[in-house]
Amino acid sequence: MEPFDLMVIGGGPAGLSAAVTGRRRNKRVLLVGKEAVSNKLRQAHQVDNYLGLPGISGADLAAKYRNHAVAEGVQLEEDEIQNLWLEEGLFQVMGKTRLYTAKTVVIATGAPQKVSLPGEEALVGKGVSYCATCDGMFFRGKKVFVLSELVEGEKEANFLADLCAEVFYLPRYPGEYKGLDPRIKLVSGRVLRLLGEEQLTGVETTAGRYEVEGFFIERASLPLDRLLPELELENGFIRVDRQQRTNLPGVFAAGDCTGKPWQIAKAVGEGLVAALSAVDFLAT
Ligand SMILES: Cc1cc2nc3c(=O)[nH]c(=O)nc-3n(C[C@H](O)[C@H](O)[C@H](O)COP(=O)(O)OP(=O)(O)OC[C@H]3O[C@@H](n4cnc5c(N)ncnc54)[C@H](O)[C@@H]3O)c2cc1C
């Protein structure tokens, strides 16, 4: 398949703005977002400081952004990008189930996830996973625990319920969890630490201990160093110049992932600049 001119990772205000700008410049644009609506935007009940639209809800704003992107001809895919690399001048971008190819990339993944749980880092790949679709089969017939900050985690847990002996699910978002498979055991409280040294052996929560061999984490964003290890960060955010260029040629970044202020107007503006810089890059 023809590579995309511009691939945008993240479907919040920054990503959608970049994608619309790319289309306005007549480029082939793919936007891959983990959620249909950005979790951040979904949580903003009432936005009073966005110019021209006082009082709008984050959900309504998100719907307007998305409709605009669709009307401009942006191709939208729901997927979570795991990592990306450069190969013969093109970016190979790995989703959970598909590989995408693009000439330029705009990273618009929202505020970087910095906090990890005690034991998490040491046990990545030794029982800790960020992707049930990718790693679920390793846990066939075993007991697993899913910690999810997003409603999307319910789909991942349901997938695991078909494979695993027992699935515990701890949601860290409000809801009724009606989408959960009845075989899944809903858990409350907070995770205190992950147990085990060479391999995960269990999870300690404020409600008790669970002996499991797999621990899946569904967060709004992956740690940036897992997405693209060569990307230069500054205080945990992607370092960009005023053209939203990162240290890697062809890779741009916009929105909360580049630092404060964490605001919609800033995200939309940076998305626009990032896409224009990508268009300039394509012309060189
Ligand atoms: C409760 C609340 C109220 C707020 N109120 C206001 C307000 O009144 N005014 C204001 O200006 N701002 C407000 N904000 C802040 C505003 O929502 C954010 O600044 C804005 O959403 C940032 O846009 P973004 O596109 O950079 O990131 P986000 O909106 O966070 O979008 C990033 C998207 O990228 C996706 N993503 C992450 N990693 C990947 C990956 N690997 N693959 C694919 N997709 C990925 C995420 O799931 C997410 O959907 C509020 C935020 C909250 C939480």
Side-chain angles (χ1 to χ4, degrees), residues 123-282:
L123 291 165
V124 174
K126 298 172 183 170
V128 171
S129 165
Y130 301 98
C131 177
T133 316
C134 320
D135 298 335
M137 288 305 254
F138 296 126
F139 299 92
R140 187 190 272 274
K142 298 182 174 166
K143 289 187 190 177
V144 299
F145 193 108
V146 180
L147 170 68
S148 180
E149 292 177 357
L150 306 171
V151 68
E152 282 73 11
E154 294 178 19
K155 274 194 241 159
E156 300 278 282
N158 289 348
F159 167 69
L160 291 170
D162 281 336
L163 292 176
C164 302
E166 206 164 8
V167 180
F168 299 99
Y169 188 75
L170 197 162
R172 297 288 295 163
Y173 56 91
E176 294 177 34
Y177 322 116
K178 284 190 178 152
L180 274 185
D181 186 299
R183 289 169 292 181
I184 295 170
K185 297 193 173 67
L186 200 60
V187 170
S188 58
R190 216 161 33 80
V191 173
L192 295 175
R193 63 187 59 83
L194 306 185
L195 309 170
E197 279 169 22
E198 291 306 304
Q199 205 63 38
L200 179 88
T201 55
V203 181
E204 189 177 331
T205 76
T206 48
R209 274 188 182 216
Y210 297 84
E211 279 176 22
V212 291
E213 287 174 74
F215 185 83
F216 290 86
I217 309 177
E218 185 73 14
R219 292 197 181 105
S221 63
L222 281 182
L224 288 166
D225 54 359
R226 265 190 240 298
L227 194 65
L228 185 51
E230 302 84 18
L231 197 63
E232 249 176 54
L233 305 183
E234 199 168 23
N235 303 322
F237 296 98
I238 302 174
R239 194 162 74 74
V240 285
D241 64 13
R242 283 187 58 83
Q243 273 66 51
Q244 304 305 128
R245 289 181 294 220
T246 69
N247 63 310
L248 303 172
V251 180
F252 306 85
D256 284 3
C257 63
T258 67
K260 289 182 176 177
W262 294 343
Q263 292 282 282
I264 299 163
K266 182 245 189 197
V268 168
E270 287 193 354
L272 173 131
V273 175
L276 292 179
S277 297
V279 171
D280 284 349
F281 180 85
L282 287 167

Side-chain angles (χ1 to χ4, degrees), residues 9-15 32-35 37-41 43-50 79-82 108-111 150 219-222 227 254-257 261-265 267:
I9 307 174
V32 178
K34 174 171 175 160
E35 314 159 274
V37 176
S38 136
N39 189 40
K40 280 272 159 60
L41 216 46
Q43 288 174 48
H45 288 297
Q46 187 172 322
V47 177
D48 283 324
N49 65 342
Y50 189 60
D79 196 352
E80 179 179 4
I81 301 307
Q82 302 293 299
T109 47
L150 306 171
R219 292 197 181 105
S221 63
L222 281 182
L227 194 65
D256 284 3
C257 63
W262 294 343
Q263 292 282 282
I264 299 163

Side-chain angles (χ1 to χ4, degrees), residues 1-79:
M1 197 185 173
E2 262 292 280
F4 286 90
D5 294 319
L6 172 61
M7 169 144 184
V8 180
I9 307 174
L16 287 161
S17 166
V20 166
T21 304
R23 283 299 301 145
R24 299 296 301 166
R25 290 304 179 103
N26 209 25
K27 299 299 172 199
R28 278 188 75 226
V29 180
L30 172 69
L31 184 149
V32 178
K34 174 171 175 160
E35 314 159 274
V37 176
S38 136
N39 189 40
K40 280 272 159 60
L41 216 46
R42 197 161 46 192
Q43 288 174 48
H45 288 297
Q46 187 172 322
V47 177
D48 283 324
N49 65 342
Y50 189 60
L51 193 65
L53 295 171
I56 193 163
S57 71
D60 285 348
L61 199 52
K64 282 184 190 292
Y65 286 157
R66 223 179 149 77
N67 291 343
H68 189 170
V70 170
E72 291 286 351
V74 174
Q75 193 172 323
L76 297 167
E77 288 281 340
E78 225 170 288
D79 196 352

